[in-house]
Amino acid sequence: MTARKKIGPKRKRVLDAINHRQPDRQPVDFGGSAVTGMHVSCVAALRDHYGLEKRLVKVCEPYQMLGLIEDDLKETIGIDVTALMSRTNMFGFENRDWKPWTFNGLEVLVPEDFRVTVEPEKGGILIYPKGDRSACPSGHMPKDGYFFDSIIRQKPIDPDNLDPEDNTEQYTLLTDLQLDAIEADARAVNTGEYAVFASLINTALGDIAFVPGPDLTDPKGVRDVAEWYMLTASRPDVVHKIFERQVEVGIANLEKIHAHVGDAIDVLFLCGTDFGTQTSSFCSVKTFDALWKPHYAALCGWIHKNTTWKIFKHSCGSSERFFESMIEAGIDIINPVQCSAKGMDPKMLKAKYKGRLVFWGGGVDTQQTLPFGAPEEVRKEVLERCEIFSDGGGFVFNSIHNVQAGTPIANMVAMFDAVKEFNGRGN
């Protein structure tokens, strides 16, 4: 069992915010998860700007090419959260035995099993599941691109004879070695300095990013994302069986994890499936309540009954219509709070859900303001969002999804300076 939780000022700040208490200052997360991070090129640019020790940045999440934000940069930009991530990444190999790799002129560090080939004519980069070059590649980065997309490798299927087990082959019970690794990593981050944000293998439900099976050498079942969404309408009975198995495995794994780490975890990543688009949604609230909500409720119910952990749900786009259902299911935190999408006005969101839902994100728009605005526009938007969302707690500052490659360093610095300015107003 991990040692008793220590609570320093940064961790307390986050705990106050996620428990709807006014914190001493606005807490900030960058790098706590795969949906609240920064592209590796942005992390490298920030290290250079602030004159930190010269070192290559580790790619901690190769699917999106996110960079590891180490403690010296966390301290410089004012981060209050640290990540407890599975050692195995989206492509099914471990983040260890780092080696240099260069793309778009930037030298970074990648894991030993990060094995790629270059397309002969197009010049794109292919990456392999579990680092196995004998398998078909599972990810593709276009020439001069900045992150990978999953390659659809679905075999012909018979819609009338689908086996739900085919779509749950990667959802397995954690081994003793995996549990020991989680416990060791939890001990390392349970210092009290930062709030601990956990994203752990085989505990999430229905995450759309895993449907293509980028971590599998030979995926079976429905592995085309478009086909999967059609399946939710045409064969909800099959989807229910898949979700039931994921919940069964998820609860069993969470029970084992809790026995190993106790209350070392503060926030747990539940699911990254997006339900919103820019102007609408992928399904109706009625469909969400029938197909997803019961399974979210089962997982959340166990977590709330047996742990102190808060539950984090990611859903981009126009997602507000689902918030009441998510709250009823037991979800505590919503991300990325895409205020530019239809029906996602920040003042309305805060007024309607204050005290009931934590907004983790929403701090600045990453589609327009942060990458294309002027530094003063970034400052203005950050100050406005902090003013709206911070009242009474219930807000952890983060950009709206990951900070993307090509974002001007002046704008990133303006974002962090604006949060510090906001925090200094109460002093």
Side-chain angles (χ1 to χ4, degrees), residues 39-56:
H39 192 269
V40 64
S41 61
C42 296
V43 177
L46 285 168
R47 293 192 64 85
D48 285 345
H49 173 82
Y50 289 114
L52 300 178
E53 179 185 341
K54 295 289 184 182
R55 64 178 75 147
L56 300 184

PDB file of all heavy atoms in Angstrom, residues 39-56:
ATOM      1  N   HIS A  39       2.541  19.568 -27.385  1.00  0.00           N
ATOM      2  CA  HIS A  39       3.384  18.909 -28.373  1.00  0.00           C
ATOM      3  C   HIS A  39       4.844  19.030 -27.955  1.00  0.00           C
ATOM      4  O   HIS A  39       5.253  20.023 -27.349  1.00  0.00           O
ATOM      5  CB  HIS A  39       3.172  19.551 -29.745  1.00  0.00           C
ATOM      6  CG  HIS A  39       3.771  18.769 -30.860  1.00  0.00           C
ATOM      7  ND1 HIS A  39       5.056  18.987 -31.314  1.00  0.00           N
ATOM      8  CD2 HIS A  39       3.278  17.741 -31.605  1.00  0.00           C
ATOM      9  CE1 HIS A  39       5.313  18.145 -32.297  1.00  0.00           C
ATOM     10  NE2 HIS A  39       4.254  17.379 -32.497  1.00  0.00           N
ATOM     11  N   VAL A  40       5.629  18.012 -28.272  1.00  0.00           N
ATOM     12  CA  VAL A  40       7.024  17.975 -27.847  1.00  0.00           C
ATOM     13  C   VAL A  40       7.802  19.200 -28.328  1.00  0.00           C
ATOM     14  O   VAL A  40       8.692  19.704 -27.634  1.00  0.00           O
ATOM     15  CB  VAL A  40       7.691  16.662 -28.318  1.00  0.00           C
ATOM     16  CG1 VAL A  40       7.751  16.588 -29.834  1.00  0.00           C
ATOM     17  CG2 VAL A  40       9.061  16.485 -27.704  1.00  0.00           C
ATOM     18  N   SER A  41       7.457  19.717 -29.504  1.00  0.00           N
ATOM     19  CA  SER A  41       8.145  20.903 -30.014  1.00  0.00           C
ATOM     20  C   SER A  41       7.847  22.128 -29.164  1.00  0.00           C
ATOM     21  O   SER A  41       8.704  23.008 -28.998  1.00  0.00           O
ATOM     22  CB  SER A  41       7.749  21.165 -31.470  1.00  0.00           C
ATOM     23  OG  SER A  41       6.355  21.394 -31.589  1.00  0.00           O
ATOM     24  N   CYS A  42       6.635  22.197 -28.604  1.00  0.00           N
ATOM     25  CA  CYS A  42       6.277  23.315 -27.732  1.00  0.00           C
ATOM     26  C   CYS A  42       7.029  23.236 -26.408  1.00  0.00           C
ATOM     27  O   CYS A  42       7.485  24.255 -25.872  1.00  0.00           O
ATOM     28  CB  CYS A  42       4.771  23.323 -27.479  1.00  0.00           C
ATOM     29  SG  CYS A  42       3.779  23.606 -28.956  1.00  0.00           S
ATOM     30  N   VAL A  43       7.145  22.023 -25.875  1.00  0.00           N
ATOM     31  CA  VAL A  43       7.891  21.844 -24.625  1.00  0.00           C
ATOM     32  C   VAL A  43       9.346  22.239 -24.835  1.00  0.00           C
ATOM     33  O   VAL A  43       9.945  22.944 -24.002  1.00  0.00           O
ATOM     34  CB  VAL A  43       7.782  20.384 -24.131  1.00  0.00           C
ATOM     35  CG1 VAL A  43       8.611  20.188 -22.865  1.00  0.00           C
ATOM     36  CG2 VAL A  43       6.324  20.017 -23.869  1.00  0.00           C
ATOM     37  N   ALA A  44       9.925  21.823 -25.957  1.00  0.00           N
ATOM     38  CA  ALA A  44      11.316  22.177 -26.254  1.00  0.00           C
ATOM     39  C   ALA A  44      11.481  23.688 -26.386  1.00  0.00           C
ATOM     40  O   ALA A  44      12.462  24.266 -25.888  1.00  0.00           O
ATOM     41  CB  ALA A  44      11.766  21.474 -27.537  1.00  0.00           C
ATOM     42  N   ALA A  45      10.527  24.344 -27.039  1.00  0.00           N
ATOM     43  CA  ALA A  45      10.600  25.796 -27.215  1.00  0.00           C
ATOM     44  C   ALA A  45      10.502  26.518 -25.874  1.00  0.00           C
ATOM     45  O   ALA A  45      11.208  27.517 -25.644  1.00  0.00           O
ATOM     46  CB  ALA A  45       9.486  26.259 -28.153  1.00  0.00           C
ATOM     47  N   LEU A  46       9.665  26.044 -24.989  1.00  0.00           N
ATOM     48  CA  LEU A  46       9.534  26.665 -23.669  1.00  0.00           C
ATOM     49  C   LEU A  46      10.808  26.491 -22.853  1.00  0.00           C
ATOM     50  O   LEU A  46      11.250  27.424 -22.168  1.00  0.00           O
ATOM     51  CB  LEU A  46       8.337  26.075 -22.919  1.00  0.00           C
ATOM     52  CG  LEU A  46       6.952  26.547 -23.385  1.00  0.00           C
ATOM     53  CD1 LEU A  46       5.860  25.674 -22.781  1.00  0.00           C
ATOM     54  CD2 LEU A  46       6.717  28.015 -23.006  1.00  0.00           C
ATOM     55  N   ARG A  47      11.412  25.327 -22.926  1.00  0.00           N
ATOM     56  CA  ARG A  47      12.662  25.099 -22.193  1.00  0.00           C
ATOM     57  C   ARG A  47      13.738  26.074 -22.678  1.00  0.00           C
ATOM     58  O   ARG A  47      14.472  26.663 -21.880  1.00  0.00           O
ATOM     59  CB  ARG A  47      13.134  23.651 -22.344  1.00  0.00           C
ATOM     60  CG  ARG A  47      12.241  22.605 -21.684  1.00  0.00           C
ATOM     61  CD  ARG A  47      12.936  21.239 -21.630  1.00  0.00           C
ATOM     62  NE  ARG A  47      14.122  21.301 -20.788  1.00  0.00           N
ATOM     63  CZ  ARG A  47      14.112  21.158 -19.472  1.00  0.00           C
ATOM     64  NH1 ARG A  47      12.970  20.942 -18.832  1.00  0.00           N
ATOM     65  NH2 ARG A  47      15.233  21.233 -18.785  1.00  0.00           N
ATOM     66  N   ASP A  48      13.811  26.250 -23.977  1.00  0.00           N
ATOM     67  CA  ASP A  48      14.796  27.184 -24.524  1.00  0.00           C
ATOM     68  C   ASP A  48      14.481  28.620 -24.102  1.00  0.00           C
ATOM     69  O   ASP A  48      15.382  29.376 -23.720  1.00  0.00           O
ATOM     70  CB  ASP A  48      14.818  27.085 -26.054  1.00  0.00           C
ATOM     71  CG  ASP A  48      15.519  25.829 -26.548  1.00  0.00           C
ATOM     72  OD1 ASP A  48      16.240  25.183 -25.751  1.00  0.00           O
ATOM     73  OD2 ASP A  48      15.342  25.489 -27.731  1.00  0.00           O
ATOM     74  N   HIS A  49      13.222  28.993 -24.184  1.00  0.00           N
ATOM     75  CA  HIS A  49      12.838  30.372 -23.856  1.00  0.00           C
ATOM     76  C   HIS A  49      13.189  30.740 -22.420  1.00  0.00           C
ATOM     77  O   HIS A  49      13.682  31.843 -22.155  1.00  0.00           O
ATOM     78  CB  HIS A  49      11.334  30.563 -24.076  1.00  0.00           C
ATOM     79  CG  HIS A  49      10.828  31.898 -23.618  1.00  0.00           C
ATOM     80  ND1 HIS A  49      10.938  33.040 -24.382  1.00  0.00           N
ATOM     81  CD2 HIS A  49      10.234  32.279 -22.445  1.00  0.00           C
ATOM     82  CE1 HIS A  49      10.431  34.071 -23.703  1.00  0.00           C
ATOM     83  NE2 HIS A  49       9.995  33.628 -22.539  1.00  0.00           N
ATOM     84  N   TYR A  50      12.942  29.803 -21.506  1.00  0.00           N
ATOM     85  CA  TYR A  50      13.180  30.089 -20.089  1.00  0.00           C
ATOM     86  C   TYR A  50      14.612  29.777 -19.660  1.00  0.00           C
ATOM     87  O   TYR A  50      14.947  29.923 -18.477  1.00  0.00           O
ATOM     88  CB  TYR A  50      12.184  29.320 -19.231  1.00  0.00           C
ATOM     89  CG  TYR A  50      10.766  29.852 -19.329  1.00  0.00           C
ATOM     90  CD1 TYR A  50       9.750  29.081 -19.894  1.00  0.00           C
ATOM     91  CD2 TYR A  50      10.443  31.126 -18.875  1.00  0.00           C
ATOM     92  CE1 TYR A  50       8.455  29.560 -19.991  1.00  0.00           C
ATOM     93  CE2 TYR A  50       9.138  31.620 -18.969  1.00  0.00           C
ATOM     94  CZ  TYR A  50       8.154  30.828 -19.529  1.00  0.00           C
ATOM     95  OH  TYR A  50       6.864  31.313 -19.630  1.00  0.00           O
ATOM     96  N   GLY A  51      15.447  29.360 -20.594  1.00  0.00           N
ATOM     97  CA  GLY A  51      16.850  29.127 -20.281  1.00  0.00           C
ATOM     98  C   GLY A  51      17.091  27.958 -19.350  1.00  0.00           C
ATOM     99  O   GLY A  51      18.056  27.968 -18.573  1.00  0.00           O
ATOM    100  N   LEU A  52      16.260  26.931 -19.440  1.00  0.00           N
ATOM    101  CA  LEU A  52      16.426  25.754 -18.593  1.00  0.00           C
ATOM    102  C   LEU A  52      17.542  24.868 -19.135  1.00  0.00           C
ATOM    103  O   LEU A  52      18.013  25.049 -20.261  1.00  0.00           O
ATOM    104  CB  LEU A  52      15.107  24.984 -18.514  1.00  0.00           C
ATOM    105  CG  LEU A  52      13.919  25.779 -17.938  1.00  0.00           C
ATOM    106  CD1 LEU A  52      12.654  24.933 -17.947  1.00  0.00           C
ATOM    107  CD2 LEU A  52      14.220  26.281 -16.528  1.00  0.00           C
ATOM    108  N   GLU A  53      17.953  23.907 -18.325  1.00  0.00           N
ATOM    109  CA  GLU A  53      19.055  23.016 -18.700  1.00  0.00           C
ATOM    110  C   GLU A  53      18.817  22.409 -20.077  1.00  0.00           C
ATOM    111  O   GLU A  53      17.722  21.941 -20.394  1.00  0.00           O
ATOM    112  CB  GLU A  53      19.186  21.903 -17.666  1.00  0.00           C
ATOM    113  CG  GLU A  53      20.281  20.888 -17.967  1.00  0.00           C
ATOM    114  CD  GLU A  53      20.290  19.733 -16.981  1.00  0.00           C
ATOM    115  OE1 GLU A  53      19.723  19.875 -15.891  1.00  0.00           O
ATOM    116  OE2 GLU A  53      20.875  18.682 -17.322  1.00  0.00           O
ATOM    117  N   LYS A  54      19.859  22.430 -20.909  1.00  0.00           N
ATOM    118  CA  LYS A  54      19.750  21.887 -22.254  1.00  0.00           C
ATOM    119  C   LYS A  54      19.631  20.366 -22.185  1.00  0.00           C
ATOM    120  O   LYS A  54      20.517  19.688 -21.688  1.00  0.00           O
ATOM    121  CB  LYS A  54      20.971  22.270 -23.082  1.00  0.00           C
ATOM    122  CG  LYS A  54      21.113  23.762 -23.340  1.00  0.00           C
ATOM    123  CD  LYS A  54      20.063  24.250 -24.322  1.00  0.00           C
ATOM    124  CE  LYS A  54      20.262  25.721 -24.659  1.00  0.00           C
ATOM    125  NZ  LYS A  54      19.227  26.219 -25.580  1.00  0.00           N
ATOM    126  N   ARG A  55      18.532  19.854 -22.663  1.00  0.00           N
ATOM    127  CA  ARG A  55      18.347  18.399 -22.736  1.00  0.00           C
ATOM    128  C   ARG A  55      17.264  18.106 -23.773  1.00  0.00           C
ATOM    129  O   ARG A  55      16.376  18.934 -24.014  1.00  0.00           O
ATOM    130  CB  ARG A  55      17.963  17.819 -21.376  1.00  0.00           C
ATOM    131  CG  ARG A  55      16.620  18.292 -20.844  1.00  0.00           C
ATOM    132  CD  ARG A  55      16.269  17.633 -19.517  1.00  0.00           C
ATOM    133  NE  ARG A  55      17.036  18.193 -18.428  1.00  0.00           N
ATOM    134  CZ  ARG A  55      16.576  18.315 -17.186  1.00  0.00           C
ATOM    135  NH1 ARG A  55      15.341  17.926 -16.883  1.00  0.00           N
ATOM    136  NH2 ARG A  55      17.328  18.835 -16.238  1.00  0.00           N
ATOM    137  N   LEU A  56      17.350  16.933 -24.370  1.00  0.00           N
ATOM    138  CA  LEU A  56      16.324  16.533 -25.325  1.00  0.00           C
ATOM    139  C   LEU A  56      15.036  16.200 -24.578  1.00  0.00           C
ATOM    140  O   LEU A  56      15.062  15.598 -23.501  1.00  0.00           O
ATOM    141  CB  LEU A  56      16.791  15.320 -26.134  1.00  0.00           C
ATOM    142  CG  LEU A  56      18.072  15.504 -26.961  1.00  0.00           C
ATOM    143  CD1 LEU A  56      18.353  14.242 -27.781  1.00  0.00           C
ATOM    144  CD2 LEU A  56      17.999  16.714 -27.859  1.00  0.00           C
TER     145      LEU A  56
END
